[in-house]
Amino acid sequence: MQASKAFHHFHIPVMGLAFTIDTPIKVAHFGISSVVSIIQDNLIEKMRKHYYQKIGETYTAIEVGEEDYRAKRITDYLNLMNRIVQHQVEKVRESDFGNESDIDTYFAMLPDDSPLKKTYSQMKELPQGDEKAVLQSALRKEVQAGSIDVNIMTKLDKTARNSNGDEIQDGSDAVTALRGYAKSDLVNSTVVLSAGMNPRLFAYMEKLDAFDTDESGEFRKKIAIKVSDYRSALIQGKMLAKRGLWVSEYRIESGLNCGGHAFATDGFLIGTILEEFKNKRSELQSELFEIYKTALEAKGRAVRTQPEFLVTMQGGIGTYEENKLLSQYYEVNSAGWGTPFLLVPEATTVDEPTLKSLALAQVKDVKLSHNSPLGIRFHYLKGTTAEQEKLQRILDGKPGSPCTEKYLVSNTEFGEEPVCTASRSYQKKKLAALENENLEPEDYKLQKQRVLDKECLCVGLSNAAVLKHDLEPFKNRMAANVCPGPNIAYFSKIVSLKTMVDHIYGRANIIQGVRPHMFLKELSLYVDYWKELVEDRKKHLDKRHQRYVEKFRNNLCDGITYYRGLSDRLQEEFSDMTSTMNNKLDEFEAVLNQWLDIKPAQ
């Protein structure tokens, strides 16, 4: 199956474990690309059973304990989705034009500047006859699926061991997920690697031929890396190029204005990061190609053509103007619209209680929490059923969760065997240890709260699909949590797929009330984050921390200066780049100046 020629200017990035687990089946036949998380193979096995039964095919379980069962589950689920999407695309092609059929929806949702959209509009105006039939036939041939892409969070790479306790070669979580993807029959598809570098994963990837070019010099399976800034792209791009692996996409994500895990930069704002990518794109291309070419030649492989790469961006995008700014000024190839799609049941998988909570969410309901067992800051919607369950356990004197999935085991504080910090066993031991440390009351209260904050994500972020599709639960655990970006506070309507796409392309507006520009929203999040760093000076009296806090502030001030210049240059072309933006920048700068005295206490 050939994938879409990127007819759309946006894509749906990965969200949680369940929220985009079957999004390709919902949107790919309309030419929209999306990303599936493939790390949670137990959820994938449940989804295999669901969709085999739904399409009337025989389901055969791939049991835990079978050789390479994780990879086999992933491969088969991706192949199953691919078959379903191929069948859907054929039905779209065969449907009749008129009466808002699927083929009409396909072309009606395209951006207005699309040549195909213009041809479609021209066809609609023609009377029945040969000319109309010719255009309809030509349009049918252009119907192609959006790509089915996958995400692997590289940090989730627990080592697998056999019954004797010996490590299973190439059996870790991330490696087996990659193998499952590599063996699938997806083509023109991309694996998105997030959460930084994983040398073990990169080394295994080098062994595979799935990421080589074919006879025509094209990649059938491509590599994308999610990055927070240009430096990260350069370092990881070089690391992979030295192994003869080409990165086909650099997926820039806002450090703080995003859903899920948040990886803050050192105060570098998304606008300045995008500007650097724009200015250094050719330089990055040339530098990486020389390394890639040398590596391939050392392997005895010829380089037919110099491959290119895409630059995409995601995190906090919410309006047509912002989408246009990314594509026209920053020359971004595609924008990732994530959080708003949580309110589109035709595109994502969200259980009803969580869907209602998302629609009602206000700014105060989304917090940059300490809930993730990985110890990384995590955007979290308060009031979920999982949070209620967690709080009830604490009240009952039984904090922590049963650890059944074990994808986030990483802590070895109480033994060599890694455990999850959200688990009941860890929290019991950690709370007891804190009792014996003779901490100051305030410090004890804070550290205790950090322990109790931790929440099971393996099950919580999977249960939306369990509830929505009535799947077999994980050990009778039915509570769900969700990790939207702060952007959810400005979207309060549950809408159709077409309505959301119309909003993206400026043909509709579903935002109610006042919403800050995505640049200003991210800046406000960084200023709040910096205030936390300033408060931490009370505990960190060393000069190193002091220098970091000052560096962070200086980078924020540089970003504010950059945004002022950008606003002055672009306010005629982009209506939301106005004097109002400059006024808000003045306010943020005043806050940074007000908190300027950050010398450590003596």
Side-chain angles (χ1 to χ4, degrees):
M1 181 186 71
Q2 294 298 308
S4 168
K5 299 175 183 177
F7 293 151
H8 282 284
H9 303 329
F10 76 93
H11 59 273
I12 303 176
V14 68
M15 287 186 280
L17 298 173
F19 308 117
T20 56
I21 189 68
D22 54 350
T23 292
I25 294 174
K26 299 180 177 187
V27 305
H29 58 294
F30 290 121
I32 299 171
S33 298
S34 60
V35 188
V36 177
S37 172
I38 58 171
I39 205 71
Q40 224 293 30
D41 67 285
N42 290 331
L43 174 62
I44 284 173
E45 182 65 10
K46 296 178 191 295
M47 296 299 293
R48 284 183 64 244
K49 181 177 181 180
H50 170 73
Y51 275 104
Y52 269 113
Q53 293 175 341
K54 188 169 184 176
I55 65 176
E57 291 187 13
T58 301
Y59 161 75
T60 303
I62 300 174
E63 302 288 357
V64 173
E66 287 187 30
E67 183 180 357
D68 210 17
Y69 72 93
R70 269 179 52 80
K72 288 177 180 176
R73 287 174 167 183
I74 292 164
T75 299
D76 191 73
Y77 182 58
L78 295 177
N79 290 346
L80 174 62
M81 281 201 294
N82 196 21
R83 291 202 310 277
I84 292 171
V85 170
Q86 286 186 61
H87 179 68
Q88 291 172 326
V89 168
E90 288 304 316
K91 287 183 67 176
V92 171
R93 288 185 183 134
E94 294 169 1
S95 61
D96 294 328
F97 283 97
N99 299 319
E100 298 184 351
S101 66
D102 281 350
I103 198 164
D104 285 290
T105 301
Y106 184 100
F107 289 105
M109 286 199 296
L110 293 176
D112 293 339
D113 61 0
S114 164
L116 284 180
K117 178 71 171 285
K118 293 174 182 177
T119 301
Y120 171 72
S121 299
Q122 179 186 351
M123 179 277 297
K124 286 180 66 179
E125 296 299 320
L126 293 173
Q128 293 295 335
D130 291 344
E131 187 178 359
K132 190 181 188 80
V134 168
L135 287 183
Q136 288 181 346
S137 177
L139 287 169
R140 291 184 196 282
K141 293 177 182 178
E142 294 290 345
V143 173
Q144 295 185 42
S147 60
I148 302 174
D149 300 329
V150 304
N151 177 265
I152 298 174
M153 190 172 178
T154 60
K155 297 290 190 230
L156 304 185
D157 196 25
K158 177 180 81 271
T159 297
R161 300 187 182 280
N162 60 25
S163 57
N164 296 322
D166 300 322
E167 181 177 343
I168 300 173
Q169 185 176 8
D170 298 330
S172 65
D173 285 352
V175 168
T176 52
L178 181 67
R179 181 162 60 251
Y181 170 70
K183 289 186 174 183
S184 74
D185 56 19
L186 295 177
V187 295
N188 293 316
S189 170
T190 300
V191 57
V192 183
L193 305 178
S194 63
M197 294 175 283
N198 181 335
R200 173 165 65 181
L201 184 66
F202 290 178
Y204 181 75
M205 184 177 284
E206 183 180 3
K207 301 176 186 177
L208 305 175
D209 59 10
F211 303 101
D212 298 341
T213 54
D214 59 20
E215 298 77 9
S216 62
E218 298 294 326
F219 293 102
R220 296 171 65 81
K221 285 184 171 66
K222 293 168 282 189
I223 301 167
I225 54 175
K226 193 183 289 185
V227 297
S228 56
D229 55 28
Y230 181 84
R231 181 174 176 272
S232 174
L234 181 61
I235 291 172
Q236 293 189 71
K238 281 183 176 181
M239 182 175 289
L240 288 165
K242 288 176 181 177
R243 296 182 177 278
L245 296 166
W246 182 255
V247 177
S248 296
E249 179 186 344
Y250 292 92
R251 187 161 288 198
I252 308 166
E253 183 172 57
S254 169
L256 290 180
N257 195 14
C258 60
H261 288 95
F263 297 86
T265 66
D266 294 342
F268 296 109
L269 301 175
I270 193 64
T272 61
I273 293 167
L274 289 166
E275 188 77 38
E276 186 172 16
F277 266 93
K278 176 183 176 180
N279 294 334
K280 294 183 178 179
R281 190 165 180 166
S282 296
E283 177 184 329
L284 182 64
Q285 171 97 17
S286 300
E287 185 172 355
L288 293 179
F289 177 66
E290 288 304 314
I291 299 172
Y292 174 69
K293 180 181 177 183
T294 299
L296 289 191
E297 288 173 347
K299 295 172 182 286
R301 290 163 48 196
V303 183
R304 297 178 177 84
T305 58
Q306 178 171 328
E308 298 182 350
F309 58 74
L310 303 178
V311 174
T312 63
M313 185 268 166
Q314 61 195 50
I317 307 163
T319 68
Y320 167 67
E321 285 284 321
E322 292 169 358
N323 207 78
K324 186 172 71 169
L325 175 69
L326 292 172
S327 63
Q328 294 186 7
Y329 178 75
Y330 290 109
E331 300 172 5
V332 166
N333 297 101
S334 180
W337 284 66
T339 290
F341 272 100
L342 290 171
L343 294 176
V344 184
E346 291 174 66
T348 53
T349 297
V350 185
D351 60 286
E352 290 303 317
T354 302
L355 186 63
K356 291 177 181 177
S357 296
L358 288 165
L360 294 172
Q362 304 294 312
V363 173
K364 63 181 176 60
D365 298 320
V366 182
K367 64 176 181 178
L368 186 60
S369 74
H370 294 272
N371 290 29
S372 172
L374 293 178
I376 301 166
R377 298 299 291 273
F378 185 70
H379 271 120
Y380 186 86
L381 180 66
K382 295 189 288 186
T384 62
T385 54
E387 183 178 52
Q388 295 169 27
E389 181 183 75
K390 177 180 71 174
L391 295 176
Q392 187 60 52
R393 285 194 182 119
I394 294 170
L395 287 175
D396 293 342
K398 298 178 181 179
S401 303
C403 190
T404 61
E405 305 307 298
K406 302 187 184 302
Y407 293 102
L408 302 185
V409 293
S410 60
N411 186 282
T412 54
E413 189 175 351
F414 299 107
E416 294 183 4
E417 184 71 21
V419 297
C420 177
T421 57
S423 68
R424 185 169 295 162
S425 61
Y426 172 81
Q427 293 197 5
K428 181 179 180 180
K429 292 176 183 177
K430 184 63 177 177
L431 291 172
L434 288 177
E435 290 279 359
N436 297 322
E437 288 186 15
N438 296 318
L439 300 170
E440 292 294 328
E442 184 178 346
D443 194 20
Y444 171 76
K445 181 180 178 181
L446 176 62
Q447 291 200 40
K448 179 180 179 181
Q449 189 58 52
R450 289 287 181 266
V451 174
L452 297 175
D453 281 341
K454 299 298 182 283
E455 190 166 318
C456 176
L457 302 183
C458 297
V459 174
L461 291 178
S462 297
N463 269 345
V466 172
L467 295 165
K468 186 70 175 180
H469 295 311
D470 194 24
L471 309 178
E472 182 181 351
F474 294 90
K475 305 290 184 181
N476 294 318
R477 297 171 59 195
M478 302 298 290
N481 47 33
V482 66
C483 51
N487 212 14
I488 193 64
Y490 311 106
F491 292 85
S492 56
K493 293 181 179 179
I494 298 171
V495 298
S496 68
L497 175 62
K498 186 177 184 304
T499 298
M500 181 57 73
V501 174
D502 283 345
H503 173 81
I504 292 171
Y505 291 138
R507 300 186 291 248
N509 180 23
I510 60 175
I511 292 177
Q512 295 178 327
V514 178
R515 175 187 174 276
H517 191 282
M518 70 180 204
F519 287 170
L520 293 177
K521 181 63 180 182
E522 187 202 50
L523 176 57
S524 72
L525 294 168
Y526 266 102
V527 170
D528 289 342
Y529 189 86
W530 180 75
K531 288 179 183 178
E532 288 187 29
L533 294 177
V534 173
E535 289 297 327
D536 281 348
R537 79 190 190 280
K538 298 174 182 177
K539 309 181 193 69
H540 298 83
L541 306 183
D542 58 286
K543 291 183 178 179
R544 181 179 179 182
H545 180 73
Q546 170 75 7
R547 287 195 298 269
Y548 178 72
V549 174
E550 292 176 348
K551 173 186 174 183
F552 200 99
R553 177 191 175 276
N554 291 338
N555 289 338
L556 290 179
C557 289
D558 289 344
I560 289 173
T561 300
Y562 167 79
Y563 283 148
R564 282 201 188 97
L566 186 72
S567 177
D568 292 341
R569 293 198 311 272
L570 300 182
Q571 60 179 291
E572 290 187 11
E573 187 175 358
F574 296 93
S575 60
D576 52 358
M577 292 284 183
T578 63
S579 57
T580 304
M581 174 176 276
N582 281 331
N583 291 338
K584 293 298 294 183
L585 293 173
D586 291 343
E587 291 177 19
F588 286 122
E589 189 170 55
V591 171
L592 291 170
N593 289 332
Q594 180 182 351
W595 287 60
L596 187 58
D597 184 14
I598 56 174
K599 294 180 181 179
Q602 298 298 317

